[in-house]
Amino acid sequence: MAGVPEDPREDSPREECGVFGVWAPGEDVAKLAYFGLYALQHRGQEAAGIAVSDGAALVVYKDLGLVAQVFDEPTLESLRGHIAIGHTRYSTTGSSTWENAQPTFRTTATGTGIALGHNGNLVNTSELADQAVGLGLARGATTDSDLVTGLLAAYPDLSVEAAALRVLPTLRGAFSLVFMDEHTLYAARDGHGVRPLVLGRLDRGWVIASETAALDIVGASFVREVEPGDLIAIDADGLRSERFAPPTPKGCLFEYAYLARPDTTISGRNVQAARVEVGRRLAREHPVEADLVIPVPESGTPAAIGFAEASGIPYGLGLVKNSYVGRTFIQPSQTIRQLGVRLKFNPLREVLRGKRVVMVDDSIVRGTTQRALVRMLRESGALEVHVRISSPPVKWPCFYGIDFASRAELIANGLNTEEICRSIGADSLGYVSLDG
């Protein structure tokens, strides 16, 4: 709509998806999957789904909405079995429709059901679609994830495991997968390990999850990461793994900077500790004389703590975040949209008045949010506003499962740091270096 500012909630890197899998005879696997997905809700809020198998039949239940909106007690009680996978979705390919919610489901020529959940984004989808047409597959949903499910089901002469070892090496891009048939839980991670995926142990079973925080919530102990390029299979015979691609680890920086929960550990490093350390480095790289360091909550909080520690400038809360402003289905009126960032943040004027303020955030995408926040801080009496960003400038979109703006919309694509500083109205601007 002309004249209406961008929704400030969209001026940030957007989540991709969360996946969860459990093999645990004798356990209530649907409820374990539910709570695992609850811990991964931050990775996708558009749709949620769980698939279960009791060894005879595979059932999928999914819908649009948050985990707590999609599932209730009677629904979970009806999902009985010893294997389950779950998914929370943020659409990076395919529209946000019921058909595109996951887990996806296909049936093989021999009647075996296959359900799959995918975190990431493939970059050779058209090539894979041609391959699917050649195998006589009908196109179901509009996602790369459904395409992979169809390919896994397309080889009547092969087991699901053998089909996976044929299909997985043909996939290009980022994928952390959980999938299942009636008897076996599978997990696979692309050779670069772009998106996280971990293996955990229960007393009577195994768990696969996007983040270690999901292991914690179901009482599973961390065993190891699913190695890049590995396929894991878990069934009555135990756990086995096979390599389908050479491991060349290239994890996503934004898992540490923004996407993952602070209580998650990735590649042996706690995310909260990493974010605080980046804040310390940011203070050393871009020092400034100021009276107060404040975060843009919640994503800027750990780096702001680190910045305050390293700089010796007191840390304080200058902005209060409304935690309930998220992906609402109710669109704000034009008047409320024009209030912009005030939907989400409100300043503490008594804290800010008369202060030289350092405002720490995790990233700048379009610049909309920071511009509005700087203006808000000045209106609240801040004498100076110095912006510090705990990731390098975002100059390119992501093709591996994070929904950034297009390159034309990325403020750092066309402007240098000084020009961005002027654009957002700050007294100074500093990004942490890529090395930092």
Side-chain angles (χ1 to χ4, degrees):
M1 186 185 297
V4 179
E6 298 276 5
D7 186 338
R9 291 166 294 165
E10 305 304 334
D11 190 33
S12 60
R14 288 183 253 170
E15 302 84 343
E16 63 295 356
C17 295
V19 297
F20 187 88
V22 55
W23 188 93
E27 297 283 357
D28 193 342
V29 292
K31 285 192 177 176
L32 288 175
Y34 172 84
F35 287 111
L37 294 182
Y38 218 91
L40 299 171
Q41 185 72 86
H42 61 289
R43 299 187 73 88
Q45 296 95 45
E46 291 185 3
I50 292 173
V52 298
S53 172
D54 58 4
L58 196 162
V59 178
V60 178
Y61 187 92
K62 62 183 183 178
D63 208 344
L64 300 178
L66 302 175
V67 176
Q69 294 169 324
V70 172
F71 296 99
D72 56 21
E73 192 83 29
T75 303
L76 292 170
E77 287 292 340
S78 72
L79 299 173
R80 312 304 297 178
H82 67 286
I83 309 171
I85 64 169
H87 188 269
T88 61
R89 182 167 195 257
Y90 176 75
S91 54
T92 53
T93 66
S95 57
S96 182
T97 63
W98 182 88
E99 290 78 12
N100 288 336
Q102 296 185 34
T104 56
F105 177 80
R106 292 289 185 114
T107 306
T108 69
T110 58
T112 299
I114 300 174
L116 176 143
H118 172 203
N119 173 208
N121 210 44
L122 302 183
V123 296
N124 65 329
T125 309
S126 56
E127 174 190 320
L128 295 171
D130 292 342
Q131 183 183 328
V133 170
L135 291 166
L137 281 177
R139 193 75 187 264
T142 59
T143 65
D144 50 1
S145 314
D146 179 70
L147 192 52
V148 173
T149 316
L151 289 170
L152 291 172
Y155 297 95
D157 55 331
L158 297 179
S159 67
V160 172
E161 193 167 342
L165 290 170
R166 180 176 291 189
V167 171
L168 293 172
T170 70
L171 308 182
R172 300 284 175 267
F175 57 92
S176 285
L177 304 175
V178 292
F179 55 107
M180 61 184 283
D181 58 21
E182 283 82 359
H183 305 286
T184 309
L185 172 66
Y186 301 94
R189 195 176 179 200
D190 67 84
H192 293 311
V194 177
R195 299 279 153 243
L197 197 63
V198 294
L199 172 68
R201 193 77 165 100
L202 292 166
D203 289 341
R204 293 187 289 177
W206 298 89
V207 175
I208 303 285
S210 289
E211 297 186 27
T212 60
L215 302 183
D216 297 338
I217 202 171
V218 299
S221 58
F222 172 77
V223 176
R224 63 176 175 87
E225 295 204 354
V226 176
E227 295 296 324
D230 265 12
L231 169 67
I232 286 177
I234 302 167
D235 59 17
D237 295 325
L239 181 145
R240 56 193 178 275
S241 66
E242 193 160 351
R243 181 148 288 164
F244 63 85
T248 51
K250 295 180 180 178
C252 174
L253 178 152
F254 268 92
E255 291 287 350
Y256 286 106
Y258 177 84
L259 294 171
R261 276 174 53 143
D263 52 342
T264 280
T265 297
I266 301 175
S267 300
R269 181 142 202 179
N270 172 258
V271 170
Q272 171 78 5
R275 290 172 181 167
V276 172
E277 176 58 26
V278 169
R280 294 189 189 105
R281 296 186 183 194
L282 182 56
R284 291 192 286 268
E285 290 180 1
H286 297 284
V288 63
E289 288 189 15
D291 306 305
L292 182 68
V293 176
I294 68 167
V296 176
E298 307 293 334
S299 56
T301 300
I305 291 169
F307 192 102
E309 283 181 8
S311 66
I313 302 169
Y315 171 88
L317 189 65
L319 294 165
V320 175
K321 180 182 179 183
N322 183 345
S323 302
Y324 300 97
V325 176
R327 294 183 189 281
T328 174
F329 293 107
I330 307 300
Q331 292 301 312
S333 68
Q334 181 166 339
T335 302
I336 294 173
R337 278 177 66 89
Q338 286 172 334
L339 292 174
V341 79
R342 295 180 195 274
L343 277 172
K344 193 169 185 179
F345 300 106
N346 211 33
L348 289 168
R349 291 172 176 79
E350 293 74 14
V351 173
L352 297 165
R353 191 175 294 121
K355 299 285 197 335
R356 298 169 297 173
V357 176
V358 180
M359 183 181 77
V360 181
D361 204 355
D362 65 276
S363 60
I364 300 179
V365 179
R366 294 182 178 91
T368 314
T369 298
Q370 288 76 19
R371 189 176 300 115
L373 288 175
V374 169
R375 186 185 310 120
M376 187 188 294
L377 296 181
R378 292 198 192 283
E379 289 171 357
S380 300
L383 298 179
E384 298 174 7
V385 181
H386 303 274
V387 176
R388 296 294 181 267
I389 304 297
S390 62
S391 60
V394 179
K395 297 185 177 182
W396 300 88
C398 172
F399 300 101
Y400 294 122
I402 304 175
D403 190 17
F404 279 119
S406 67
R407 192 175 181 215
E409 295 173 289
L410 296 171
I411 192 169
N413 170 45
L415 303 178
N416 62 32
T417 300
E418 286 185 12
E419 290 167 332
I420 296 170
C421 182
R422 287 197 294 273
S423 174
I424 65 174
D427 290 283
S428 71
L429 170 64
Y431 292 88
V432 75
S433 64
L434 188 55
D435 287 342

